[in-house]
Amino acid sequence: MFDPKKIRNIAIIAHVDHGKTTLVDHLIRQAGTFRENQQVEERLMDSMDLEKERGITIAAKNASYMYKEHKINIVDTPGHSDFGGEVERILNMVDGAILLVDASEGPLPQTRFVLKKALEQNLKVIVCINKIDRPDSRIQEVHNEIFDLFIDLDATEEQCDFKTIYAIAREGMATLDPAVKTTSLEVLYDAIIDLVPPPKIEVNAPLQIMVSNISYNDYVGRLAIGRVRAGKIKVNDEVLVVQDAGKTSKLKVSALFQYHVNNQIQVQEIGAGDIAIVAGMENFTIGDTLTDPLDPRPLKRIAVEEPTVGMIFSVNNGAFAGQDGKNVTSRKILERLEKELLHNVAIRVEKTDATDAFKVVGRGELQLAVLIEQMRREGYELLVSKPQVIFKTVDGKKLEPMEIAVIDIEDSFVGAVTEKLGIRKGIMSNMVQKGSGRTRLEFRIPSRGLIGYRSEFLTDTRGTGLLNTQFDGWDDYKGDIFSRSTGAMISDRKGMATAYAIWNLQERGTMFVTHQTEVYEGMIVGENAKENDMEVNITREKKLTNVRASGSDEAIRIVPVRPMTLEKGMEWIRDNELIEVTPHFIRLRCRELDPHKRGRSVKESE
């Protein structure tokens, strides 16, 4: 067991893409953790394939390293607001935080969110301004913006007296003066040991561990991860698990693990102040307390902000159902969603009237898209509906979730973006011209208004705009919001798409399918330029005759199609359309495949 005075528990918090995972990499490497010739992969903490592909942290990860006889437990937290549920519970495990801010972009919405949570828990915050080598860095201005943010969040005088370190995480360099370059992160190591307090513990008190994270081991099963608040825990100990609503159950500790770098190593005993990984029970959940059965002292459960966006997940009933995936039944889909609930506190699953459909409610579109992407990679096949915002009724008033949208764009695009967000019920609250040809806008907008806007925003700003959002509470319903103005091209039969049919249809709109794509009746194959839906024969072939003339054979030139990804599909579809997700295909389709039934339902809705 470690001396609690020699333990430091810290989290790295920041907005998405400000360099958290890269900084953790260098902190672990420079502490002398690896041999000189040892092969170590980049972005060590991004263990999921999706994290490596997207360059974002999705799930919080623990690691540890030794420095000057001190054990530093470090947590890399997600930077995207959709995964904010991860941040809220992880901050329960630490005593300090490194707030990482980009030297050009400055504090963004998620910076505000994570800092607010850290200040509420009275954590010691070390500010680190990263990427100081950027040509457009604004180091002094960003420092002032961070100070203003602390004041804005009602930080105490002591909290506002934060230490600032300047870094280039990619090069593993930290300095106290941006004009002086160094070759290591030594100033950051020393700041962690000197400024972050050792854990507050009660050594002789009964055991208390708050389960803040869940993991899984193929040999010992489910693992509970949490900080030992009081007492100590040993292998074969009898422990009481206090669950939701005061339910209790006994557990015998079958194995104990600790973090060494980002690996779990088996130990016999863990003392107060350290982070423990406990095996021995299959049904603990996040927020449970492991305590002494003779003197139980449960800790206050973790409260997480409510989810705001829901989607219906249902069994695939299309023409190609069961041909691609191996997990296709409602029982398999429900089992997978229940498994997700065990470690994802920001998601809820609700039963619907239909036995083969489930409502999944989360923090945002990205969080739900990541869950769907993980499921398809695991061999699941399912249908998902358009994301819908969750409404609340309080005192007879209909309330809806609101977001703060912070937009960073070139000056020339301000008019187009302001007009689009105005149509979507957004109200501008701030506008700052940076003086570098870019403007920062802040809008308060209903969450509904942002569904389907991201791809349009990138088109309007020619891919140069940055759009960041943050949940901002509930407000009165703002009325109807304008949705997609174009119709869909719907296949009227099953078959194989042909280049000849696509060539004839492409002037009527944008195609989603290519030559030799398998299609079926009711599948959406393109976007009609007009607002009505149009049934088309995408399988039509050119009739051949035995008459040949030089002018009769026209060259077929096909415009490149717009490939429909999962996120684009979620933004594009309407309420009467669905996305068919299988391990190898993303298809769009009508909710009702039969054109006659579809026509009747349209008349009934009118």
Side-chain angles (χ1 to χ4, degrees), residues 407-418 420 438-439 441 453-467:
I407 294 164
D408 194 315
I409 49 173
E410 290 178 15
D411 296 346
S412 54
F413 302 130
V414 170
V417 169
T418 306
K420 289 277 174 72
R438 292 183 77 85
T439 301
L441 307 173
Y453 177 62
R454 284 179 193 275
S455 56
E456 210 175 303
F457 170 74
L458 287 173
T459 307
D460 290 345
T461 61
R462 297 187 188 160
T464 62
L466 295 169
L467 169 63

Side-chain angles (χ1 to χ4, degrees), residues 382-401:
L382 65 156
L383 296 175
V384 295
S385 70
K386 183 177 179 63
Q388 297 284 1
V389 163
I390 309 298
F391 296 107
K392 280 202 312 194
T393 305
V394 177
D395 301 331
K397 272 187 175 179
K398 187 178 182 182
L399 303 181
E400 65 173 321

Side-chain angles (χ1 to χ4, degrees), residues 150-168:
F150 271 77
I151 300 292
D152 200 23
L153 293 173
D154 300 326
T156 63
E157 207 169 304
E158 189 188 343
Q159 287 171 332
C160 287
D161 186 21
F162 54 81
K163 188 177 185 79
T164 306
I165 289 168
Y166 305 92
I168 306 172

Side-chain angles (χ1 to χ4, degrees), residues 45 48 51 56-61 76-78 83 86 213 343:
M45 301 292 277
M48 292 161 60
E51 291 180 316
I56 59 171
T57 303
I58 290 168
K61 315 282 193 323
D76 182 14
T77 60
F83 308 108
E86 298 273 332
N213 211 347
H343 62 84

Side-chain angles (χ1 to χ4, degrees), residues 284-340:
F284 23 52
T285 58
I286 286 160
D288 291 354
T289 303
L290 308 185
T291 186
D292 189 329
L294 302 175
D295 186 3
R297 297 189 187 180
L299 294 158
K300 188 181 172 192
R301 287 189 78 82
I302 298 168
V304 177
E305 285 177 4
E306 293 176 59
T308 56
V309 175
M311 292 174 79
I312 304 292
F313 287 34
S314 56
V315 171
N316 183 11
N317 60 3
F320 300 149
Q323 291 182 15
D324 192 30
K326 60 179 189 287
N327 299 317
V328 296
T329 61
S330 59
R331 184 174 61 85
K332 286 279 189 188
I333 292 169
L334 181 60
E335 277 175 11
R336 176 63 181 82
L337 293 174
E338 285 173 343
K339 184 181 162 192
E340 186 69 21

Side-chain angles (χ1 to χ4, degrees), residues 446-486:
S447 298
R448 286 180 300 141
L450 290 167
I451 292 175
Y453 177 62
R454 284 179 193 275
S455 56
E456 210 175 303
F457 170 74
L458 287 173
T459 307
D460 290 345
T461 61
R462 297 187 188 160
T464 62
L466 295 169
L467 169 63
N468 296 291
T469 59
Q470 181 60 55
F471 177 64
D472 189 47
W474 301 78
D475 207 340
D476 296 345
Y477 180 68
K478 304 293 179 193
D480 293 338
I481 290 178
F482 163 83
S483 62
R484 191 182 95 213
S485 59
T486 54

Side-chain angles (χ1 to χ4, degrees), residues 547-564:
V547 178
R548 286 286 175 271
S550 60
S552 64
D553 276 342
E554 296 170 80
I556 291 177
R557 291 189 184 87
I558 296 179
V559 175
V561 301
R562 185 167 90 202
M564 194 46 77

